[in-house]
């Protein structure tokens, strides 16, 4: 909290104490455009500096039996807040240390670092800063090579709480006092450094402790001791053993919930929920002071299993501990189970949705509490000003957030939709959590006076924060070029939906979403940090729309009708208004977007899958040489792909790019007659109609529909050519494209997608040949037939 109204009195108080400059800090003009290891080193030194300052004030206090303080709040429900000379002095020394080596650092501190505090309080001894310059953190000076995280000034900020637990300091509860530093990169906590100025390690107050962590490297510790000469020495203690038996100091059948002494009704209710948790253990509630102190005794010391904070903590209280808790195997979240949101400005500094921390092994208790809070009217009321009054039921609060992590603001949505929104729901049973994106349906309540007849009742919100998706993080390690490809695909979708071409499609009967709003934040330097969101019109079940895992014959004809209208509208290749908007070569399976192994290792990969599928699959395929199909296809796979995805061809038109059943909504308009609408235009671009139709039939048709393959092809071709008289493609040309497209789809399925095949699981998002044995067997037989036709 800012306390500038107390500056004048503070300066007067500070002049009453004898000052000397604390230490000369080496100068280095490096900025944050270097790996975070150097910043970690600096933050550890800064933490030692802050702890030294706090100890200096305490030493003066002990010798004079006085401590000058300013109470900022009196006689209120929450604990009284204080400002002491120790707070301001520690802030000055921490900020000064950081800026001496990183002058461009964006520091967000609890105290105003511009406060002039004169010269320093007389300290107990000078720190040997040269010895700390190359402090071998994590137990080895070479361990820093373990990470290559790079951060720029623009995306990095440093949160500082110079003295966490000021009230505890005033009350002489010194072990609860900490100095907190947290480095946040692109909204993600990356480095945490926590100093405990007073640690009882058997030698009273003669020892301080610095706990530090960098994302992915574990938790380390530096011990700071008096050296017997009036100064201090700092020694890295190596990795902190977070896997030790942290229950040794209490009975293992007792669970401990720790909170502060706040009388907040919601905090009381959250505590009751924890105490009601039934895992066969007895639960106890203890009260401790200091935010960081609660985190430490929970995540590192195991004296508590879960800590629930009041609703007045700030980002500087949690940023440093966020990293340490995670690296210690614990979890930190808001009251609803979502990550704490950090920005690089002074907007939204309060953790107004609460903070929950659990130790290693207490994930179930943590999840239980957060799930219960989603069903509590008292806790859901925290969101009233952002999303409107809660109407009951589970909500997808992990998805209904903007790209900064804040709950979506109903005011902003209303502005996008052209009305005044009273509130919205994001029902969890209408949410989607996929490998490449997450999304949820938003149900709207419009304020009195709004023209509800002109406003949508629902919309669909698609959110992609790539660093939150396990599949994309894995790609970043194993197939980084695919992550760059995926970043482009999200930009393509947003740009296409906003284009005049998309509007033209809608006016010509092609059912595609309307884009209300988009937020694109690509990061070309580090693609996995990219973020995207879309708010689009909805194919709502309220209007009869639904999805099917496999399409029967009438449904296949409906989807082929939509594809034919899309293809005929874009006939003629690269329209000027789409240049640079969509892919030059559409579809996600075009060869430049896939791995080389699909072509050069296709035969061996195929044989592995056939063996895994077993005898039932071989019997279903029922051809003479099933093992030879993959190796035969490998011989021509590159040529097939080149023909299926040409760079230049007069018959190229606009393609959807991923026309699987999961990307199609259907609606029965009369018995046996359907409409079909399409979503997910990430891979939209130009290509051959036969290539896309082949993929659609192979990935979406039910076994009974595949028996009508010729009928479906005739139906599509007739619809395509009747929609637009300018379409110039003969039936034979279309069939040649289609057969090449089937072989190309086989390359994709055999060489890549069959790795996820599970014929016993009917997952909506899987292609038919990945979830239905009959469909997969059909694809092998068709491949064999088409190979024989080419080999004849």
């Amino acid at each position: 909290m800012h306390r500038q109204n107390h500056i004048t009195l503070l300066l007067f108080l500070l002049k009453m104490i004898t000052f000397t400059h604390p230490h000369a800090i080496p100068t280095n003009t490096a900025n944050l455009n270097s790996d975070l290891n150097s910043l970690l080193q600096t933050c550890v030194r800064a933490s030692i500096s802050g702890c030294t300052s706090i100890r200096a004030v305490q030493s003066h206090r002990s010798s004079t039996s006085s401590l000058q303080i300013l109470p900022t709040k009196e006689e209120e429900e929450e604990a009284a807040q204080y400002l002491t000379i120790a707070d301001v002095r520690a802030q000055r020394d921490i900020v000064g240390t950081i800026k001496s080596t990183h002058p461009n650092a964006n520091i967000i501190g609890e105290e105003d670092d511009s406060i002039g505090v004169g010269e320093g309080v007389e300290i107990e001894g000078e720190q040997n800063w040269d010895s700390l310059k190359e402090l071998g953190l994590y137990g080895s000076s070479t361990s820093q090579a373990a990470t290559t995280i790079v951060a720029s000034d623009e995306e990095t900020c440093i949160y500082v709480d110079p003295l966490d637990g000021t009230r505890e300091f005033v009350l002489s509860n010194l072990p609860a006092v900490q100095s907190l530093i947290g480095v946040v990169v692109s909204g993600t906590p990356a480095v945490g450094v926590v100093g405990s100025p007073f640690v009882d390690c058997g030698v009273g107050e003669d020892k301080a402790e610095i706990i530090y962590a960098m994302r992915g490297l574990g938790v380390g510790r530096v011990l700071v001791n008096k050296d017997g000469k009036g100064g201090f020495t700092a020694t890295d203690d190596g990795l902190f053993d977070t896997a030790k038996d942290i229950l040794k100091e209490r009975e293992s059948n007792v669970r401990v919930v720790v909170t502060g002494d706040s009388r907040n009704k919601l905090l009381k209710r959250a505590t009751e929920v924890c105490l009601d948790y039934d895992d066969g253990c007895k639960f106890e509630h203890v009260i401790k002071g200091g935010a960081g102190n609660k985190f430490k005794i929970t995540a590192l010391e195991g004296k508590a299993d879960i800590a629930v904070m009041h609703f007045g903590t700030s980002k500087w209280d949690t940023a440093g501990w966020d990293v340490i808790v995670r690296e210690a195997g614990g979890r930190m979240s808001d009251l609803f189970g979502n990550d704490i949101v950090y920005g690089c400005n002074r907007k939204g500094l309060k953790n107004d949705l609460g903070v929950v921390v659990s130790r290693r092994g207490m994930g179930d208790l943590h999840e239980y509490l957060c799930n219960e809070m989603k069903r509590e009217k008292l806790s859901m009321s925290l969101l009233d000003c952002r999303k409107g009054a809660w109407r009951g039921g589970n909500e997808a609060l992990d998805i209904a957030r903007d790209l900064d992590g804040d709950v979506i603001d109903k005011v902003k949505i209303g502005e996008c939709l052209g009305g005044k929104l009273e509130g919205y729901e994001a029902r969890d049973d209408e949410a989607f959590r996929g490998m490449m994106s997450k999304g949820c349906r938003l149900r709207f309540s419009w304020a009195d006076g709004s023209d509800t007849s002109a406003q949508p009742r629902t919309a669909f919100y698609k959110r992609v924060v790539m660093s939150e998706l396990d599949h994309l993080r894995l790609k970043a390690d194993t197939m980084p070029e695919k992550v760059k490809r995926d970043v482009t695909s999200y930009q393509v979708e947003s740009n296409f939906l906003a284009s005049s071409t998309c509007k033209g499609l809608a006016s010509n009967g092609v059912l595609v979403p309307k884009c209300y709003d988009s937020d694109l934040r690509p990061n070309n330097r580090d693609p996995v940090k990219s973020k995207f969101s879309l708010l689009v019109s909805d194919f709502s079940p309220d209007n009869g729309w639904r999805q099917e895992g496999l399409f029967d014959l009438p449904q296949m004809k409906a989807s082929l009708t939509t594809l034919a209208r899309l293809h005929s509208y874009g006939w003629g290749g690269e329209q000027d208004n789409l240049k640079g908007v969509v892919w030059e070569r559409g579809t996600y399976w075009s060869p430049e977007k896939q791995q080389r192994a699909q072509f050069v290792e296709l035969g061996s990969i195929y044989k592995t899958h056939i063996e895994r599928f077993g005898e039932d699959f071989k019997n279903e395929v029922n051809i003479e040489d099933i093992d030879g199909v993959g190796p035969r296809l490998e011989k021509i796979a590159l040529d097939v792909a080149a023909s299926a995805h040409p760079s230049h061809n007069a018959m190229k038109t606009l393609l959807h790019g991923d026309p699987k059943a999961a990307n199609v909504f259907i609606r029965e308009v009369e018995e046996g007659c359907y409409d079909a609408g399409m979503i997910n235009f990430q891979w939209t671009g130009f290509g051959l109609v036969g290539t896309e139709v082949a993929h659609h039939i192979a990935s979406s048709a039910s076994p009974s529909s595949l028996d009508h393959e010729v009928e479906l092809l005739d139906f599509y071709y007739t619809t395509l050519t009747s929609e637009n008289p300018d379409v110039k493609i003969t039936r034979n040309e279309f069939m040649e494209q289609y057969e090449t497209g089937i072989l190309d789809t086989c390359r994709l399925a055999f060489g890549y997608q069959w790795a996820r095949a599970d014929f016993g699981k009917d997952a909506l998002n899987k292609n038919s040949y990945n979830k239905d044995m009959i469909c997969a067997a059909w694809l092998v037989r068709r491949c064999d037939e088409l190979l024989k036709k080419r080999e004849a």
Side-chain angles (χ1 to χ4, degrees):
M1 160 186 320
H2 291 291
R3 306 167 174 129
Q4 297 193 31
N5 52 321
H6 303 296
I7 294 175
T8 303
L9 184 53
L10 257 177
L11 292 175
F12 172 77
L13 293 172
L14 285 165
K15 290 177 182 178
M16 298 172 63
I17 303 177
T18 302
F19 300 103
T20 61
H21 195 275
H23 20 249
I25 304 173
T27 301
N28 185 335
T29 58
N31 60 27
L32 294 178
N33 290 302
S34 58
D35 67 75
L36 290 181
N37 292 296
S38 65
L39 188 54
L40 172 61
Q41 290 270 345
T42 296
C43 288
V44 169
R45 295 199 301 272
S47 183
I48 295 174
S49 178
C51 288
T52 304
S53 298
I54 295 168
R55 290 173 64 92
V57 174
Q58 174 61 19
S59 178
H60 179 271
R61 174 188 188 183
S62 298
S63 64
T64 62
S65 300
S66 66
L67 174 67
Q68 302 289 350
I69 61 173
L70 288 174
T72 61
K73 296 182 183 179
E74 295 181 2
E75 305 296 327
E76 65 175 346
E77 180 181 0
E78 296 294 338
Q81 303 294 311
Y82 299 97
L83 177 66
T84 73
I85 295 170
D87 292 82
V88 182
R89 170 62 189 280
Q91 171 86 1
R92 189 199 71 172
D93 290 348
I94 289 172
V95 171
T97 302
I98 294 172
K99 291 216 168 186
S100 69
T101 58
H102 296 80
N104 298 322
N106 176 15
I107 298 177
I108 302 175
E110 181 172 18
E111 317 305 341
D112 185 352
D113 61 274
S114 67
I115 295 177
V117 296
E119 300 184 3
V121 178
E122 180 74 36
I123 65 168
E124 301 176 27
E126 294 290 338
Q127 174 60 49
N128 182 355
W129 287 98
D130 289 336
S131 68
L132 291 179
K133 190 173 181 181
E134 297 297 334
L135 188 63
L137 301 181
Y138 288 107
S140 170
S141 60
T142 61
S143 65
Q144 298 175 44
T147 180
T148 56
I149 300 174
V150 176
S152 67
D153 297 338
E154 295 76 16
E155 61 187 359
T156 303
C157 58
I158 304 173
Y159 284 91
V160 174
D161 185 351
L163 200 163
D164 177 61
T166 303
R167 186 180 67 157
E168 306 308 310
F169 182 67
V170 171
L171 298 176
S172 295
N173 181 17
L174 300 181
V177 173
Q178 295 179 358
S179 185
L180 311 178
I181 304 173
V183 179
V184 173
V185 179
S186 298
T188 300
V191 170
V193 177
V194 172
S196 296
F198 311 100
V199 178
D200 185 3
C201 298
V203 289
E205 296 180 6
D206 288 342
K207 181 175 290 188
E209 176 185 71
I210 312 297
I211 299 295
Y212 62 87
M214 184 182 291
R215 201 171 184 90
L217 292 184
V219 181
R221 177 169 60 179
V222 171
L223 297 179
V224 183
N225 299 278
K226 283 188 174 181
D227 62 5
K229 301 177 183 179
F232 295 90
T233 60
T235 306
D236 186 62
D237 198 37
L239 284 172
F240 197 88
D241 185 6
T242 57
K244 65 183 179 181
D245 180 12
I246 59 177
L247 295 175
K248 65 182 180 181
E249 296 185 17
R250 57 187 173 87
E251 299 178 50
S252 61
N253 65 338
V254 175
R255 297 276 184 258
V256 176
V257 183
V258 61
T259 70
D261 58 4
S262 169
R263 290 172 286 178
N264 180 280
K265 291 181 180 179
L266 180 52
L267 179 62
K268 181 180 178 181
R269 177 58 190 145
T271 304
E272 291 172 349
V273 169
C274 291
L275 296 176
D276 289 341
Y277 183 66
D278 184 11
D279 68 347
C281 295
K282 180 174 66 174
F283 274 75
E284 295 179 354
H285 176 213
V286 299
I287 294 175
K288 294 288 183 181
N293 184 43
K294 298 181 190 68
F295 301 154
K296 184 176 183 180
I297 66 176
T298 302
L300 292 186
E301 297 177 353
K303 296 176 181 177
D305 296 280
I306 192 166
V308 187
M309 306 303 296
H310 62 77
F311 299 90
T313 67
S314 300
K315 307 303 182 188
W316 45 68
D317 294 312
T318 54
W321 271 110
D322 203 320
V323 187
I324 295 171
V325 167
R326 293 171 190 273
E327 291 302 302
R331 183 181 175 192
M332 176 181 283
S333 76
D334 66 19
L335 202 58
F336 303 108
N338 297 300
D339 290 345
I340 307 296
V341 178
Y342 300 94
C344 283
N345 52 52
R346 286 191 168 271
K347 176 185 176 183
L349 291 177
K350 287 293 183 184
N351 292 316
D352 54 356
L353 299 185
V355 179
V356 180
V357 165
S358 58
R359 69 166 176 84
R360 177 193 293 269
M362 286 292 108
D364 289 345
L365 172 58
H366 195 126
E367 185 173 1
Y368 170 79
L369 170 62
C370 295
N371 286 339
E372 288 299 308
M373 290 297 98
K374 294 175 185 178
R375 293 190 279 267
E376 287 278 344
K377 184 176 182 179
L378 190 60
S379 54
M380 291 298 290
S381 66
L382 295 172
L383 305 174
D384 285 357
C385 63
R386 305 183 200 187
K387 65 179 300 297
W390 182 56
R391 298 173 179 269
N394 287 347
E395 299 221 24
L397 297 179
D398 59 319
I399 301 175
R401 293 177 172 255
D402 62 25
L403 296 185
D404 293 319
D406 293 314
V407 176
I408 302 173
D409 186 0
K410 64 182 180 181
V411 175
K412 180 179 178 181
I413 296 179
E415 292 173 350
C416 293
L417 300 177
K420 185 177 181 181
L421 199 60
E422 183 179 278
Y424 66 87
E425 295 177 85
R427 299 176 185 174
D428 197 72
D429 59 1
E430 294 185 317
F432 168 77
R433 297 173 179 86
M435 293 191 303
M436 294 283 291
S437 63
K438 298 178 182 180
C440 62
R441 177 169 290 112
L442 303 180
R443 294 184 170 273
F444 302 129
S445 299
W446 293 98
D448 293 340
S450 294
D451 183 5
T452 55
S453 63
Q455 306 298 340
R457 292 185 297 172
T458 64
F460 193 80
Y461 180 66
K462 181 176 180 178
R463 183 175 188 266
V464 180
V465 178
M466 298 182 75
S467 62
E468 295 178 0
L469 299 170
D470 292 339
H471 181 64
L472 288 174
R473 289 201 303 269
L474 177 62
K475 275 187 183 179
D477 293 332
T478 59
M479 296 176 285
E481 68 282 359
K482 277 198 171 186
V483 177
K484 295 178 181 178
R485 176 204 70 176
D486 295 342
V487 168
T488 302
S489 77
Y490 297 122
Q491 294 174 278
V492 164
E493 179 174 33
S494 177
N495 293 335
F496 174 73
L497 291 177
S499 70
S500 59
T501 297
C502 190
K503 295 179 176 66
L505 285 171
S507 63
N508 279 270
V510 182
L511 299 173
V512 294
K514 176 182 179 181
C515 183
Y516 298 123
D517 187 49
S518 63
D519 188 357
L520 308 181
R521 304 184 192 178
N523 188 318
N524 295 325
R525 187 174 62 82
D526 190 355
V528 81
K529 293 180 182 176
S530 299
K531 303 176 183 181
F532 307 92
S533 69
L534 284 172
L535 182 66
V536 298
S537 59
D538 182 31
F539 292 105
S540 172
D542 298 350
N543 298 321
W545 293 102
R546 72 177 193 268
Q547 291 174 289
E548 294 283 350
L550 297 171
F551 289 161
D552 62 21
L553 188 60
Q555 293 164 352
M556 279 299 301
K557 288 184 176 180
S559 62
L560 286 171
T561 296
T562 297
L563 275 181
R565 288 173 177 171
L566 171 70
H567 296 159
S568 66
Y569 183 84
W571 192 263
E574 286 110 324
Q575 300 179 21
D576 290 340
N577 62 338
L578 285 181
K579 285 184 178 179
V581 174
V582 299
W583 294 96
E584 182 181 345
R585 287 204 287 185
T587 78
Y588 75 92
W589 67 96
S590 60
E592 76 280 358
K593 301 188 189 82
Q594 295 298 321
Q595 295 291 294
R596 184 170 178 268
Q598 290 180 30
F599 301 93
V600 299
E601 300 175 25
L602 179 59
S604 60
I605 295 173
Y606 168 86
K607 286 182 179 180
T608 299
H609 293 316
I610 295 299
E611 188 64 29
R612 179 169 65 89
F613 295 161
E615 291 300 318
D616 288 345
F617 182 76
K618 291 181 179 181
N619 292 334
E620 182 65 42
V621 175
N622 193 27
I623 61 175
E624 189 171 311
D625 183 19
I626 186 173
D627 291 336
V629 173
R632 288 159 57 204
L633 179 59
E634 180 182 317
K635 295 178 181 178
I636 62 169
L638 284 169
D639 291 337
V640 166
S643 298
H645 307 273
S647 297
H648 302 283
N649 189 299
M651 289 182 284
K652 287 178 68 173
T653 186
L654 186 65
L655 305 182
H656 174 275
D658 188 11
K660 60 186 177 184
N663 288 335
V664 180
F665 279 79
I666 58 169
R667 175 175 62 184
E668 191 168 22
V669 292
E670 58 183 73
E671 187 174 357
C673 184
Y674 295 87
D675 284 336
M678 307 201 77
I679 61 171
N680 289 347
F681 288 82
Q682 290 174 223
W683 308 104
T684 296
F686 298 101
L688 303 180
V689 295
T691 298
E692 180 146 271
V693 170
H695 189 274
H696 179 57
I697 289 177
S699 64
S700 306
S702 66
S704 61
S705 296
L706 291 174
D707 292 338
H708 297 270
E709 180 186 12
V710 174
E711 180 182 346
L712 290 173
L713 294 175
D714 287 340
F715 176 84
Y716 167 82
Y717 181 76
T718 300
T719 305
L720 174 71
T721 52
S722 62
E723 285 287 329
N724 183 352
D726 292 332
V727 172
K728 304 298 182 183
I729 183 172
T730 68
R731 181 69 162 73
N732 287 338
E733 288 171 333
F734 167 64
M735 284 304 300
E736 182 179 350
Q737 288 182 14
Y738 173 78
E739 291 179 352
T740 300
I742 287 291
L743 288 173
D744 192 55
T745 298
C746 289
R747 176 265 303 173
L748 178 74
F750 300 168
Y752 173 54
Q753 292 191 329
W754 266 1
R756 298 195 294 267
D758 185 350
F759 300 142
K761 186 175 182 180
D762 185 18
L764 176 64
N765 201 40
K766 287 183 178 290
N767 291 336
S768 60
Y769 50 72
N770 265 3
K771 60 186 175 184
D772 188 285
M773 181 183 294
I774 297 175
C775 293
W778 176 88
L779 194 61
V780 176
R781 285 196 302 273
R782 283 298 276 133
C783 185
D784 181 54
E785 292 167 2
L786 294 173
L787 287 172
K788 288 179 178 177
K789 183 177 179 180
R790 286 184 172 235
E791 294 161 352

